[in-house]
Amino acid sequence: MKIGILGGTFDPIHIAHLMTAEQVYHQLQLDQIWFMPAHIPPHKEGKHVSEAVHRLKMVELATQSISYFHAFPYELSRPGPSYTIQTIKEIKDLYPKVDFYFIIGGDMIDYLPKWHKIDHLVNLVKFVGVHRPGYLPDNEWARKYVKMVPMPQTEISSTLIRTYLKNGQSIRFMVPDEVKKYIEENHLYDV
């Protein structure tokens, strides 16, 4: 079985996350995509991040109608920062017969060599990079360890969505309708 893992803060999940998962699923002929919200991403320590329960619920709402998409709250049960090496080791122990594909945005590829225990991590999981606007990784490390997947380009990001909401602008079509409704009902990004 081949499973893609799309990790992230998902604050909130949006259509670019879903498009990424869809493209990787089809282009690499995977069996499933697991959306894994990070508990405390190391690169976001000290920054405001919505409560895990809300981020997980938005992922569940966004993925519920697609049979091969699944919310995977594994990291949310652990305290402290979420390090990919620790998570992947544990998941590989739980699912030893699965080949895992860890999906990252093109903007993260240049940082991969700096990830915690990356030399060990590249032996546990296959990295999949997706093109993002303004990021065209072209280095020897990326060519060796990252399978690039082309996809339609969009400027949509969680940061942009939160900014739009802060400014009273519409986010319709940037997030699934169920996620938009959840954000509004729970006043998640109210100023």
Side-chain angles (χ1 to χ4, degrees), residues 120-132:
H120 185 52
L121 186 57
V122 295
N123 295 313
L124 297 176
V125 68
K126 295 170 181 72
F127 280 98
V128 178
V130 292
H131 294 285
R132 290 205 44 192

Side-chain angles (χ1 to χ4, degrees), residues 91-134:
I91 293 172
K92 293 275 295 174
D93 286 344
L94 291 171
Y95 305 96
K97 295 183 179 182
V98 172
D99 288 329
F100 287 103
Y101 294 73
F102 198 83
I103 305 162
I104 58 173
D107 56 326
M108 292 299 295
I109 293 172
D110 288 337
Y111 296 103
L112 264 180
K114 299 173 185 151
W115 280 23
H116 185 64
K117 297 189 178 180
I118 190 64
D119 293 336
H120 185 52
L121 186 57
V122 295
N123 295 313
L124 297 176
V125 68
K126 295 170 181 72
F127 280 98
V128 178
V130 292
H131 294 285
R132 290 205 44 192

Side-chain angles (χ1 to χ4, degrees), residues 8-22:
T9 311
F10 301 120
D11 195 18
I13 190 169
H14 52 73
I15 63 160
H17 293 128
L18 299 169
M19 286 179 7
T20 295
E22 181 75 1

Side-chain angles (χ1 to χ4, degrees), residues 17-18 43 66 102 108 128 148 153 160 166 171:
H17 293 128
L18 299 169
H43 64 285
I66 300 147
F102 198 83
M108 292 299 295
V128 178
M148 292 303 295
Q153 300 296 290
L160 177 71
K166 179 181 175 185
I171 60 165

